Amino acid sequence: MGRPPRHDADRLLDAAVELAAESGPRGVTMAAVARAAGAPSGSVYHRFPDRAALLSELWLRTVARFQDGFLVAVQAPPREAAVAAARHVLEWCREHPAEADVLLAGPGAYGFADWPAEARERLEKGNAQVDEALGGLAERLGRSGESGRARVFLAVVDLPLAVVRRHLGRGGPIPDLEVGTVTDAVQDLLAG
């Protein structure tokens, strides 16, 4: 039985997240990740054949971690689901500010145009799951049609993300107060 690798993909991606938080996407290079993880550069290339593969995996792992909790929240009973999903956005970003910065930058900042086809397909599949879950939530809330769906997206995604951007964009934490404010606003938007 062989030894487990000392520099596995998750450890390298953790180092990439920290580099992105410090220097933005441009700071995430193969050599910088190797240095930050204390790994030989060969370990990075062994797991990620090139920078595009590294950047795509960084973004996809981050969005998958976020979406896992979001998709669970959306499955609750309708009114609870809307509030739980909006709270998830704020709370996850507050608990994971470096990863939230990765998501806020968007896949384009992480070289989406150069991503391998498989990575693009994974992103498309994950986004489709979220769109389907939110569409289902809109239906369960009695918000059918384009305008009803738009209202649910505004309440559950756009509003919480605006709060996240405001605070993380300034380099500060997301205050506890904002969770209650967003919760109230979500309920008001969906009641109106």
Side-chain angles (χ1 to χ4, degrees):
M1 184 171 200
R3 293 184 320 186
R6 285 186 35 207
H7 306 289
D8 66 5
D10 277 328
R11 182 171 175 198
L12 297 171
L13 291 171
D14 290 343
V17 167
E18 294 307 316
L19 287 167
E22 293 168 12
S23 308
R26 290 184 180 175
V28 182
T29 65
M30 304 297 267
V33 168
R35 275 191 309 277
S41 61
S43 291
V44 179
Y45 282 99
H46 177 70
R47 281 153 188 81
F48 309 102
D50 55 29
R51 186 168 183 262
L54 171 67
L55 292 176
S56 65
E57 195 57 39
L58 168 60
W59 207 87
L60 289 168
R61 182 188 78 158
T62 305
V63 78
R65 288 178 171 183
F66 169 79
Q67 286 176 345
D68 285 347
F70 187 83
L71 291 170
V72 168
V74 171
Q75 297 309 311
R79 290 266 175 217
E80 294 170 33
V83 170
R87 286 180 67 97
H88 173 74
V89 173
L90 290 171
E91 291 171 349
W92 189 90
C93 292
R94 185 171 53 199
E95 292 169 17
H96 309 280
E99 288 178 294
D101 283 339
V102 169
L103 294 183
L104 289 173
Y110 286 86
F112 177 76
D114 298 324
W115 285 13
E118 179 271 332
R120 290 181 195 204
E121 289 169 14
R122 283 175 48 206
L123 176 59
E124 191 174 306
K125 183 179 177 185
N127 287 344
Q129 279 185 297
V130 170
D131 286 346
E132 184 178 328
L134 286 172
L137 176 59
E139 292 293 324
R140 291 186 296 137
L141 286 165
R143 297 281 182 177
S144 58
E146 193 173 320
S147 66
R149 189 175 161 103
R151 184 175 285 256
V152 170
F153 275 69
L154 174 67
V156 174
V157 177
D158 298 337
L159 175 64
L161 278 178
V163 172
V164 168
R165 282 185 200 283
R166 178 168 31 114
H167 291 287
L168 293 184
R170 293 178 185 162
I174 301 166
D176 290 337
L177 156 73
E178 294 290 17
V179 175
T181 302
V182 167
T183 297
D184 291 346
V186 168
Q187 291 172 337
D188 291 346
L189 272 169
L190 295 178

